[in-house]
């Protein structure tokens, strides 16, 4: 299953995985799992493009580890 984006009025509101809606909050463990998936699998874990700010957060996390 791939992550998808929940957008409203052209702005990403959250990330969807199945029935779960994941907020874009660094303190959220599910969001951290999204970042880890991006680090490991890259764009293959998303249906569509990864938003630039989410990719930047994944890059920062990878650099910090």
């Amino acid at each position: 299953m791939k992550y998808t984006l929940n957008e409203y009025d052209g702005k990403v509101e959250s990330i969807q995985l199945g029935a779960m809606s994941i907020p874009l909050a660094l303190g959220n463990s599910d969001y951290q799992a999204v970042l880890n998936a991006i680090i490991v699998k890259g764009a293959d874990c998303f249906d569509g493009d990864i938003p630039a700010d989410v990719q930047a957060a994944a890059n920062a996390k990878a650099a910090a580890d």
Side-chain angles (χ1 to χ4, degrees), residues 1-4 16-18 43-47:
M1 186 177 304
K2 293 186 176 192
Y3 294 103
T4 58
Q16 192 78 28
L17 183 63
D44 289 341
C45 66
F46 259 81
D47 186 18

Side-chain angles (χ1 to χ4, degrees), residues 5-65:
L5 301 175
N6 288 327
E7 296 180 82
Y8 178 74
D9 213 14
K11 181 180 177 209
V12 176
E13 296 288 324
S14 63
I15 297 170
Q16 192 78 28
L17 183 63
M20 180 174 34
S21 181
I22 303 166
L24 303 177
L26 286 175
N28 183 289
S29 61
D30 293 320
Y31 183 65
Q32 290 298 313
V34 172
L35 299 180
N36 289 336
I38 293 169
I39 292 167
V40 173
K41 298 179 183 176
D44 289 341
C45 66
F46 259 81
D47 186 18
D49 294 330
I50 299 172
D53 56 337
V54 176
Q55 182 66 60
N59 294 346
K61 180 177 175 72
D65 288 344

